[in-house]
Amino acid sequence: MIEKMDKRVRAAQFRARLADAMAQTGTTQSELSRRIGVDRSTISQLLADEGARLPNAHVVGACASVLGVSADWLLSLSDRRESAAELMAGSLSLTEAPRALVDEKIFDWHKEAAGYKIRHVPASLPDMLKTRALIEWEYKPHLGRTADQAIGASEDRLQWMRGSASDYEICIPIYELYCFAQGIGYYHDLDAGVRREQIDFLLDLCDQLYPRLRIYLFDAKRLYSAPITIFGPLLCVFYAGGHYMAFRDSDRIATFTGHFDMLVREADLSARHFPKHLKRLRDFVR
């Protein structure tokens, strides 16, 4: 809701903000008048008039465009002086997502959010909770001859993430773990011994890290989520295959935090019951 403001106050603030923007950019009255297509006397009047009049929308918009500020800011309708394009550029970024365990960008985001709760919906099983054998099976085809070197370099980062001060909440579709245990779908050629070792590893991690690590299982037939990670109040990141799409504006972060919290509330298996479910799945491994 826009706060009501006396016309004289709004006009006075417009003059002050216009003068401030001109000073910040080093724009003279003559230059501004030339670039927006009005007489210099018009700019002088805008800056000197002590009445309640405001310029028309065309002049306000032209001044905002030339000075690189928001028209809403000039009119005291917003406290953000950035233009809409600058706000969008600052709140949304698109980053390449190499096929790697933990690339520099992901690791930087985790370090930035150290101490905050991190909410995560992985594309498969969470990389930070995988055994070396599973990592080698999954990543060697993409990393080629550098697989051992890349995996070795990533293990330190994964260890840092496991030992960081952040709490981790992870939501996984029930079918993902079922397919893993059965060795079907994505995991159809994964050795049973690797699958059994991975389940035992998850059980150990849950025992060591709960409640700082909480894993929930939801039914994807009722709820859907794209792969996403929410780094506290700082940013949320979607994984879109070849790219990460990262948002930093608080409204979108709040929206997707609400989406994640719904997955937790509607989860068929809570973090407390997750180990018991894992033990049942282990019996299906053949």
Side-chain angles (χ1 to χ4, degrees), residues 41-251:
S41 60
T42 300
I43 303 301
S44 297
Q45 186 175 7
L46 288 178
L47 293 168
D49 187 2
E50 295 187 0
R53 288 185 56 193
L54 287 166
N56 61 43
H58 170 76
V59 172
V60 173
C63 288
S65 178
V66 168
L67 298 172
V69 296
S70 161
D72 282 351
W73 178 76
L74 284 177
L75 294 170
S76 297
L77 298 174
S78 169
D79 289 329
R80 300 292 298 269
R81 66 185 292 150
E82 303 97 327
S83 67
E86 289 173 323
L87 286 172
M88 181 60 73
S91 65
L92 170 64
S93 62
L94 204 61
T95 306
E96 286 191 13
R99 182 62 169 163
L101 268 171
V102 184
D103 63 34
E104 289 294 337
K105 179 55 67 176
I106 292 177
F107 193 47
D108 286 344
W109 285 331
H110 277 272
K111 289 190 292 184
E112 181 184 354
Y116 289 111
K117 180 192 290 186
I118 295 176
R119 300 166 170 90
H120 181 44
V121 180
S124 56
L125 296 182
D127 280 344
M128 64 180 291
L129 304 183
K130 290 174 181 173
T131 63
R132 185 179 180 90
L134 178 56
I135 288 169
E136 289 177 346
W137 170 82
E138 189 168 17
Y139 284 92
K140 269 192 173 179
H142 306 279
L143 301 176
R145 294 180 181 178
T146 64
D148 289 339
Q149 182 180 0
I151 291 170
S154 293
E155 284 183 331
D156 289 341
R157 297 178 184 179
L158 294 173
Q159 189 62 35
W160 182 92
M161 288 158 61
R162 292 185 192 123
S164 74
S166 296
D167 280 4
Y168 282 85
E169 282 190 340
I170 299 174
C171 284
I172 305 173
I174 288 177
Y175 74 80
E176 187 73 35
L177 280 173
Y178 177 79
C179 290
F180 177 82
Q182 294 276 7
I184 58 178
Y186 181 78
Y187 306 101
H188 74 279
D189 61 346
L190 180 58
D191 181 78
V194 174
R195 287 182 275 131
R196 193 174 294 110
E197 179 192 24
Q198 177 64 61
I199 290 176
D200 289 340
F201 184 62
L202 282 174
L203 286 168
D204 287 343
L205 286 178
C206 289
D207 183 55
Q208 295 166 22
L209 301 179
Y210 181 86
R212 195 167 60 80
L213 169 66
R214 300 182 294 280
I215 301 176
Y216 301 84
L217 300 181
F218 65 93
D219 185 352
K221 294 193 296 293
R222 291 190 296 106
L223 299 166
Y224 171 76
S225 180
I228 185 174
T229 306
I230 304 167
F231 295 89
L234 305 178
L235 76 158
C236 60
V237 179
F238 283 93
Y239 176 61
H243 290 82
Y244 300 116
M245 187 165 57
F247 296 93
R248 285 191 176 272
D249 60 296
S250 57
D251 288 343

